[in-house]
Amino acid sequence: MDLLDSILNAMDAPPANNEQQKTLIKKQREMLERMQNKQKEELLRFRKYVDERMGRFAKDDRRCIEFQPLDKVHRSVIHEVAENGGFIAMSFGREDVDRHSVVYKKEHAPGEDEVTARRNGDGWNEEIAKEYAERRRERLAQEQSDKEASTSEAASSASSTSAAADQDSGEVKPTTNYKAKYAHLIGESAALQAARKTETNQSYGFVPSKNKKDVRSIEQTLADIQAKKRLRLAQQQELEQEQQPQEATTSTEDP
């Protein structure tokens, strides 16, 4: 214990917080709270601004409204207010550069061309709409052309395959007549008689199905099986009785 006490006494005590440090920490905490409160108040004011703007938007004949580039927090407020008001909100652009939100009325939802144009950073107006519509028509025409070309190639391939299969499965005809070739050996009428139709001999080889069917009932079948077992057991007993006298005679004859 003396050694431990000496080590503890030799160690430096933790530095004590003086009044100046406590005051500095308190000021930093108060500044952080003021910043957080200020941010909350700013978000509340922004939410109110979005509410008022979307209220005016719901009453006029515009199909969409655009907001200036904002950070993710402010864009989330726009999306939340739009969803609560029954609108469609979408964001376009690059993050931390020009990403902004666009709010649409549900009856004027953006089409594929507009979404593509805004994602490409081209914006949207009548001229851009015509340009993208022309691009879409050209793309669809090219896709239709490619589809027809692939269909025709598949049909051509299938027809060629079918023709080759017909050739392979066609009837093979001999080039010579064997009857004429071997007429001097088998004669003219031998081949005809050898090729006559063979018929089954009805006198044997067939058993009518009615003779194969067991017409006995289940009770009769079980009774027959039991009778066979009893007969087999009686035969075994008779055989054992016949063997016992023989064994007795053999044992008396032995000295």
Side-chain angles (χ1 to χ4, degrees), residues 53-66:
R53 188 172 179 183
M54 287 193 185
R56 294 191 298 270
F57 172 58
K59 297 176 182 178
D60 57 30
D61 56 351
R62 290 177 296 175
R63 60 181 299 269
C64 67
I65 55 174
E66 296 186 21

Side-chain angles (χ1 to χ4, degrees), residues 243-255:
Q243 290 178 353
Q244 285 178 359
Q246 293 179 1
E247 292 177 356
T249 304
T250 304
S251 60
T252 55
E253 291 177 357
D254 291 338

Side-chain angles (χ1 to χ4, degrees), residues 82-240:
E83 184 178 359
N84 294 336
F87 301 108
I88 300 173
M90 303 182 69
S91 295
F92 304 97
R94 294 173 295 174
E95 191 68 47
D96 298 330
V97 178
D98 59 350
R99 193 160 181 82
H100 60 284
S101 296
V102 182
V103 180
Y104 299 88
K105 293 178 180 177
K106 285 189 175 182
E107 60 270 20
H108 300 294
E112 180 182 356
D113 293 342
E114 181 176 355
V115 173
T116 303
R118 289 187 181 277
R119 286 178 177 174
N120 293 336
D122 296 334
W124 189 251
N125 52 39
E126 293 183 0
E127 295 181 358
I128 296 176
K130 292 179 181 179
E131 179 182 351
Y132 272 79
E134 183 65 25
R135 290 182 188 178
R136 179 162 46 82
R137 284 193 293 269
E138 293 176 357
R139 185 178 68 254
L140 292 176
Q142 184 64 33
E143 291 177 357
Q144 184 66 22
S145 176
D146 295 342
K147 184 178 180 180
E148 292 176 355
S150 62
T151 303
S152 62
E153 290 179 2
S156 175
S157 176
S159 61
S160 62
T161 305
S162 176
D166 292 341
Q167 292 179 359
D168 294 340
S169 62
E171 221 180 288
V172 178
K173 296 182 179 179
T175 56
T176 59
N177 189 351
Y178 78 95
K179 288 193 295 183
K181 184 176 181 180
Y182 299 103
H184 64 285
L185 297 176
I186 62 176
E188 294 292 337
S189 61
L192 221 97
Q193 296 190 1
R196 73 175 183 268
K197 181 181 178 181
T198 58
E199 296 180 356
T200 306
N201 190 350
Q202 300 292 337
S203 62
Y204 64 90
F206 290 97
V207 179
S209 60
K210 61 182 181 180
N211 295 345
K212 298 179 182 180
K213 186 176 181 181
D214 192 352
V215 296
R216 298 177 299 172
S217 64
I218 297 176
E219 293 79 3
Q220 185 62 37
T221 304
L222 294 175
D224 293 344
I225 293 173
Q226 294 294 332
K228 288 181 180 180
K229 289 183 178 180
R230 288 195 297 269
L231 179 60
R232 192 182 305 113
L233 182 60
Q235 291 175 352
Q236 290 179 355
Q237 290 177 355
E238 289 178 1
L239 183 60
E240 291 176 356

